[in-house]
Structure formats: C-alpha cells, structure tokens
Amino acid sequence: MKKFMNDPETFIEDSLKGFALAHADICDVTLNPSVVTRKSLRREKVGLVSGGGSGHEPMHSGFVGKGMLDAACPGQIFTSPTPDQMMEAARLVDTGAGVLFIVKNYSGDRMNFEMAAEMSENKVAMVVVDDDVAVEDSTHTTGRRGVAGTVIVEKLVGSLAESGANLEACVAFAERITGSIASMGVAFSSCTVPAAGRPTFQLADDEMEFGVGIHGEPGRRREKIAPTDEIVAMLLDSICEELKPSSGSEVLLLVNGLGSTPLSELYLVMNSASKWLNRREVAVARSLVGDYTTALEMAGISLTLCKLDEEMKIHWDAPVHTAALRW
Amino acid sequence: MKKFMNDPETFIEDSLKGFALAHADICDVTLNPSVVTRKSLRREKVGLVSGGGSGHEPMHSGFVGKGMLDAACPGQIFTSPTPDQMMEAARLVDTGAGVLFIVKNYSGDRMNFEMAAEMSENKVAMVVVDDDVAVEDSTHTTGRRGVAGTVIVEKLVGSLAESGANLEACVAFAERITGSIASMGVAFSSCTVPAAGRPTFQLADDEMEFGVGIHGEPGRRREKIAPTDEIVAMLLDSICEELKPSSGSEVLLLVNGLGSTPLSELYLVMNSASKWLNRREVAVARSLVGDYTTALEMAGISLTLCKLDEEMKIHWDAPVHTAALRW
C-alpha cells in the first residue's frame, strides 16, 4: 500500500489539520468530536449539516462555507461519523432557525443521523439522498445508495437557506431535488482503505465494474472496457430510464471523477455525455466537471443528471464560497 | 491500459471539446490549431500565453481567464505544442500591449516558443520557468525542469497584467518570481501515455521515485517509501537549500497532487509541510492544495515554495476567474 500518511490511526486527524490550515479563511475545524464548521454563521439561517465516512473528499468538508453547508461531520474512512459529532454540529450551527441534516443513504449514516436528530436539543429535520440508480439494495444500504447527486442537493438547498427560507421550505426543496436526480458510476480500478492495506476488490486488466458504489461495493455487473461513448451511453440509458427527461427539457450534468481519473478524461466524458443528451434533445443547461465525490484513489467516473426548473437554476447560479466549490 | 477515450488519435480533441462545453462562460476553444482563449479580452492589456504538452491538466487551459492567462496552447500528451499554435494565440490575444510567453523549461517547448516569438508579427517577450530543483539536466531538458511553480508565475503575473502593467514590467515581475520559487516532487506510481499504452516506468511495491519529473522522468534516486513527515522533510530540505528562506520570512506553499493522490492525503501533506516550516520559523502566509500540475494518473505530489514579498501577496490575493482557480 502506497499512501501519504504517518500512521493509519492518525490519518483522518492529520488530514483534517491540513484542511484547517489550508482553509482557515472559510472553515473552523474542531477535533474530539471532529466537526468542520463555517467560519461566519448567519443569525436565523437554517443550519445545513452533512457528513459521512471520509475517503470521498472534497465531500463533505470541502462544501462548508457561504451558500452551501454550515457544518460537516467526517467519519473514519468509509465509516459513518458518530451521533456525538452530529449533535455537536447541530449545536454549533443552530442560530435560531433549526438544522437540516443532509444524509446519504447508507444504513450506518441513517441510523446515526436519526439517533442524533432524536437526542439533539436543537430543532432538527433530515433529508436522505438516494440518487444511485445502479442497484436497489447494496452492501451497506437498504434501498438505493446516496452518491454524487448529494453535491447538487447541498449546493441548491445551501443557496435557498442563504436566502432566508425556513426549515420546512428547505426540507421541501431538498425532497424535490432528490426526486429530480439520478446517478450511476463505473470503476476501472479498486481503492485501498489505509487500515485494510489492500484493494477492496479486484478487476482484470480489461474489465470495469458497471454501477460501482463509492466504497467499491459491487454494481450491476462486470463488463469488458468499451470506448467511452459506449460507456456513457450505458450510464445515461440507466439514468434516463429513471428520470425520463422530456425532449426539450433542461438538465444539470455532473461528470464526477472517483479519484484517479485524469481531468482530461473527465472532459472527454463531458463531451460524450453532451453529445448523447443532445441527440435526445435534452439541453445541458448547467454542468460541473471534476472530482467532487471520490472513492479514495479509485479510477472511474459517475454521471449525475438533475432535471432543472427555474428555481433550481437560480440557486445553482447563486454565489458559493467553499474550499471545493466557488463562484 | 484503462482510459476513458474513444480513440488515442482523437483523445486531445475530444477532451478539448468537453472543456469548451464545460467552461463556455470563461473560454473559447479553437481547433486546428488548438488554442484556448479567454472569452473577453481587455484592450491594451499585455496578453499572457502559456502552453505545453497535455497530460498536466488543469495546467494550462484551466488557468485561462480573468486575472490569469489570456491563452493556452495544448500540445499532444507530453509533447510540445507547435509554433503555429503559439503564433495564433499571440495573434488572438494581442490587444495592443504585446504578448508574454510563459514557458516551462523543456527543450521542445523552448525551441517552439522561441521560433513562434521570432516568426510572430506581434510584439512578443518570453520568460522561462525552471523551478524543479531535483536535477540539473533531465530527459527532455537542458537545465532545470519547469513544474508546478509555473502556476504561481501565471497567477501573479496574470494579476499584474490585469492591473495595466506594460510588457517590460510583466517580464521583470515574472523573472523576479521565477527567482523566488523552487519545487520538488515524489512519485509512488508511474503514468501511462495513451498512445504508448503501457506505464512509462516501473516502481516496486515499496519504492518511490524521489525528485520525479512531471512526465515520469527519473529524479534523484529511488527510495523506500517512508512516513510522510520524512518524505516532506526530504523535499523541503532540498527546496530550502535552494531558496534559503530566512527565519521570520513568509512563503506561499503549494501542495500539488500529480494525479491520483487523494485530496485527504494532500491535506495530510499540507499539515506535515506546515509543521516543518513552522519549526524553521518560516511562515506559510498563503497556500494552495490540490491537483494543479498533474502527470496523467501518476500517484505522487510535489511541493513548491515561493518566497513572498508584499507585491506578490497583493497579486496572489487579487481576484481570478478561470476553470481551475477562482477567488
């Protein structure tokens, strides 16, 4: 195993310390329990909190800041954060308008966020993101997994909360967005969890895992590697079977790198996906290309589509100032 | 070889088309010859042009936009762009104040940029960046290689040019910056050029290439992998031997990922490097952490230090609006 680390035991803490140093203008980081909070909180704004296992960077700590999250709770690698982290986050960012937990659909995360919501002294609501259309149930999940579509939920609801909407409006918007999103990924390689020391799974030199999860969970099937236009068509077929975007409609397209896929290849995927959608007369009205929801150093990509309405476009375009997303 | 591509022959063109779609608000992309230009040029501003082989994304196309480059010329993977690309770039962005070529020190790039400067009908000056202290001469280089420090040159001179400085002032500033920068990298893995189809070099499971180049060129020596604090100390020792930052001085620290190193590890490196510099009483006054000068999917990092003065800090902090750098 080749990792930049000093000791697997201190990996997350050492990494969070570096994050804190690099983004001291945007975030505060507390340890024990680990919580990343937005530097300047706004009074009477709904506090948005997310979190999950580490290893998906920049998700979620990289999305803390103006116009997006107020706090993130990083767990150990691929392991849910604990309820005490979530309760502390809620306590820190509740400025009088309540708190919304944005949770990716994994059994451990749901259980812990639900427990924290119940035990918290703050007013807490919760929304679950389950955008991955690859499989219904999976290694760590009952129902569909939550993956890169979560970035879109956090950005859009972050903007709505910034505009002063109340907790009920944020919940309703988040649920509308989760109903408008679908994602699917493909892996060319596995990843290695530091504490495990060996790859999570094995792929032959000419194979890809079609529908892979962001922890290396199995997808729908193994396939021979194909030209990118074909891979993209298979992913978008599955996504559009779910979303059924009508001819003439507008979507947001997220081309997400899973870790070690070069940016030049992500842009190539962007081109393939745009061509495919154009042929279906679906307009790519907004897009985002880069590593936003990773699986350590996995080679692969995921595609996410979000069916856009006017309100979503306004909130997508609204300013955001976080470590990983800024405009 | 596992790559997202349709055909090695069209790889760069397909990727540039995707880049153009993703960043249509910031850049225009022309093909034949391939040039990425800033969407809105300013009259009487010095035009900044860079370029080099592809495979280092987001460098340089990702740095085209307000406050940084006016044009980038992407070559084939790890291959210099051609003089006709550079002449076309100069023609497109010369709005009356002349053009500055910012060139990484590789023999092919220098030869082609020099030829373009001579043949161009525009007023062209040139500055060469050679920040890599690992080796004196190398596979593709006479003298030191130009690596991630180039990002800093492009950002700082980009801001100065934006402020209305003339060509001579931009050249002088660029030369002062190149004299204040030093970099060095380490690789845990090789990378694979699409047209070659196999890894550029081989490393054993417990080895790293210390002082690696951004095309996989050999560095100073092979070493056994060590804890990150030790790797960082070796890199910073070499860098500071060159730069000799005085106690109490301020530096900009760039922690650059070479491709497939997870962001969590880059932040861990940031923490190690900050601790090391603090012990030497060198203040990390500015920092940047991420994949900015890559070598396809190489696992590894480079560290760059830039000794800062007040003018450099002002130009680092100035607004920038490009695909890859935005504040």
Side-chain angles (χ1 to χ4, degrees):
Chain A
M1 174 178 52
K2 291 178 168 185
K3 300 268 182 195
F4 288 93
M5 66 178 175
N6 292 304
D7 178 347
E9 289 289 313
T10 62
F11 181 88
I12 295 299
E13 189 176 321
D14 291 349
S15 177
L16 277 173
K17 286 178 182 170
F19 179 88
L21 290 166
H23 304 295
D25 54 329
I26 300 174
C27 298
D28 287 310
V29 177
T30 57
L31 302 171
N32 304 311
S34 298
V35 182
V36 176
T37 51
R38 176 174 161 180
K39 196 120 205 155
S40 53
L41 296 169
R42 280 185 48 196
R43 295 289 312 156
E44 301 288 333
K45 188 191 89 71
V46 171
L48 300 188
V49 174
S50 191
S54 293
H56 307 300
E57 288 70 24
M59 177 175 272
H60 298 271
S61 302
F63 305 134
V64 173
K66 187 175 185 328
M68 214 160 164
L69 297 178
D70 295 279
C73 306
Q76 292 297 307
I77 301 274
F78 295 173
T79 303
S80 173
T82 53
D84 63 316
Q85 288 176 268
M86 300 155 184
M87 288 166 62
E88 177 68 0
R91 192 183 69 75
L92 288 169
V93 307
D94 187 349
T95 59
V99 172
L100 177 59
F101 287 166
I102 300 174
V103 183
K104 300 195 300 302
N105 189 36
Y106 297 97
S107 304
D109 294 76
R110 283 191 70 153
M111 189 180 71
N112 287 341
F113 270 108
E114 276 164 13
M115 200 180 299
E118 274 172 32
M119 291 164 63
S120 174
E121 292 179 2
N122 304 90
K123 181 181 172 191
V124 176
M126 180 165 147
V127 64
V128 175
V129 185
D130 59 349
D131 53 315
D132 188 346
V133 300
V135 291
E136 277 307 316
D137 298 320
S138 179
T139 321
H140 312 296
T141 321
T142 304
R144 289 178 174 179
R145 302 175 296 217
V147 291
T150 314
V151 180
I152 299 170
V153 178
E154 293 175 1
K155 170 65 184 84
L156 296 180
V157 182
S159 167
L160 182 71
E162 203 72 41
S163 76
N166 66 19
L167 186 56
E168 290 65 34
C170 288
V171 170
F173 193 42
E175 287 176 348
R176 188 151 64 81
I177 301 161
T178 58
S180 307
I181 295 181
S183 302
M184 194 154 154
V186 58
F188 284 179
S189 82
S190 180
C191 54
T192 298
V193 176
R198 54 193 165 68
T200 305
F201 63 98
Q202 296 290 341
L203 279 172
D205 282 349
D206 60 349
E207 272 183 347
M208 60 183 181
E209 180 72 36
F210 184 71
V212 71
I214 57 173
H215 312 90
E217 311 97 294
R220 290 190 182 178
R221 58 184 183 269
R222 296 270 163 102
E223 293 260 358
K224 297 288 175 198
I225 289 209
T228 296
D229 282 348
E230 289 175 34
I231 296 173
V232 164
M234 289 194 290
L235 292 173
L236 288 177
D237 265 332
S238 303
I239 289 169
C240 288
E241 197 177 316
E242 173 72 21
L243 280 188
K244 299 185 173 45
S246 54
S247 171
S249 65
E250 291 186 322
V251 296
L252 188 167
L253 166 63
L254 167 56
V255 177
N256 175 61
L258 291 175
S260 67
T261 294
L263 194 49
S264 51
E265 296 181 35
L266 300 187
Y267 284 124
L268 188 145
V269 169
M270 169 73 192
N271 186 48
S272 290
S274 298
K275 282 191 298 182
W276 192 95
L277 290 163
N278 283 344
R279 281 197 298 273
R280 303 285 176 111
E281 296 181 331
V282 174
V284 180
R286 300 292 185 277
S287 66
L288 185 66
V289 180
D291 291 354
Y292 293 100
T293 306
T294 60
L296 294 168
E297 69 289 329
M298 184 182 283
I301 57 139
S302 66
L303 296 179
T304 302
L305 291 187
C306 174
K307 290 196 287 187
L308 288 172
D309 60 28
E310 291 307 310
E311 188 180 7
M312 293 180 195
K313 281 198 280 185
I314 289 166
H315 290 298
W316 183 257
D317 294 341
V320 59
H321 187 85
T322 68
L325 217 57
R326 221 179 282 198
W327 57 71
Chain B
M1 174 179 51
K2 291 177 166 185
K3 300 267 181 196
F4 288 93
M5 65 178 176
N6 292 304
D7 178 346
E9 288 289 312
T10 62
F11 181 89
I12 296 298
E13 188 176 321
D14 291 349
S15 177
L16 278 174
K17 285 178 183 171
F19 179 88
L21 289 166
H23 305 295
D25 54 329
I26 299 174
C27 299
D28 287 311
V29 178
T30 57
L31 302 171
N32 305 310
S34 297
V35 183
V36 176
T37 51
R38 176 174 162 181
K39 197 119 205 158
S40 53
L41 295 169
R42 280 185 49 197
R43 295 288 312 155
E44 300 289 335
K45 188 191 89 71
V46 171
L48 299 188
V49 174
S50 191
S54 292
H56 307 301
E57 288 70 25
M59 178 175 272
H60 297 272
S61 302
F63 305 134
V64 172
K66 188 174 185 328
M68 214 160 164
L69 297 178
D70 295 280
C73 306
Q76 292 297 306
I77 301 275
F78 294 173
T79 304
S80 172
T82 51
D84 63 316
Q85 288 175 267
M86 301 156 184
M87 288 167 63
E88 177 68 0
R91 192 184 68 75
L92 288 169
V93 306
D94 187 349
T95 59
V99 172
L100 177 60
F101 286 166
I102 299 174
V103 183
K104 300 196 299 302
N105 189 35
Y106 297 98
S107 305
D109 294 76
R110 284 190 71 152
M111 188 181 71
N112 287 340
F113 270 107
E114 277 163 12
M115 200 181 299
E118 275 172 30
M119 290 164 64
S120 175
E121 292 179 1
N122 304 88
K123 182 181 171 190
V124 176
M126 180 165 146
V127 64
V128 175
V129 185
D130 58 350
D131 53 315
D132 188 345
V133 300
V135 291
E136 277 307 317
D137 297 318
S138 180
T139 321
H140 312 299
T141 321
T142 304
R144 290 177 171 179
R145 301 173 298 217
V147 291
T150 315
V151 180
I152 299 170
V153 178
E154 294 175 1
K155 170 65 183 84
L156 296 180
V157 182
S159 167
L160 182 72
E162 203 73 40
S163 75
N166 66 20
L167 185 57
E168 289 67 32
C170 288
V171 170
F173 193 42
E175 287 176 347
R176 189 151 65 80
I177 302 161
T178 58
S180 307
I181 295 182
S183 302
M184 193 153 155
V186 57
F188 284 180
S189 82
S190 180
C191 55
T192 298
V193 176
R198 54 191 166 69
T200 305
F201 63 99
Q202 295 291 340
L203 279 172
D205 282 348
D206 60 349
E207 273 183 346
M208 60 184 181
E209 180 72 35
F210 183 71
V212 71
I214 56 172
H215 312 89
E217 312 97 295
R220 289 189 183 179
R221 58 184 182 269
R222 294 272 163 99
E223 292 261 0
K224 296 288 176 198
I225 288 210
T228 297
D229 283 347
E230 290 176 33
I231 297 174
V232 164
M234 289 194 290
L235 293 173
L236 288 177
D237 265 332
S238 303
I239 289 169
C240 289
E241 197 177 317
E242 171 73 21
L243 280 188
K244 299 185 173 43
S246 54
S247 171
S249 65
E250 292 187 321
V251 296
L252 187 169
L253 166 63
L254 167 56
V255 178
N256 175 60
L258 290 176
S260 67
T261 294
L263 194 50
S264 51
E265 297 180 35
L266 300 186
Y267 285 124
L268 189 145
V269 170
M270 170 74 194
N271 186 48
S272 291
S274 298
K275 283 191 298 183
W276 192 95
L277 290 163
N278 283 344
R279 281 196 298 273
R280 304 284 176 112
E281 297 181 331
V282 174
V284 180
R286 300 290 186 276
S287 66
L288 185 66
V289 180
D291 291 354
Y292 292 100
T293 305
T294 60
L296 295 169
E297 69 288 332
M298 184 182 284
I301 56 138
S302 66
L303 295 179
T304 301
L305 291 187
C306 175
K307 290 197 287 188
L308 288 172
D309 60 27
E310 291 307 311
E311 188 181 6
M312 291 179 195
K313 282 198 280 184
I314 288 166
H315 289 300
W316 183 257
D317 294 341
V320 59
H321 187 85
T322 67
L325 217 57
R326 220 181 282 198
W327 56 71

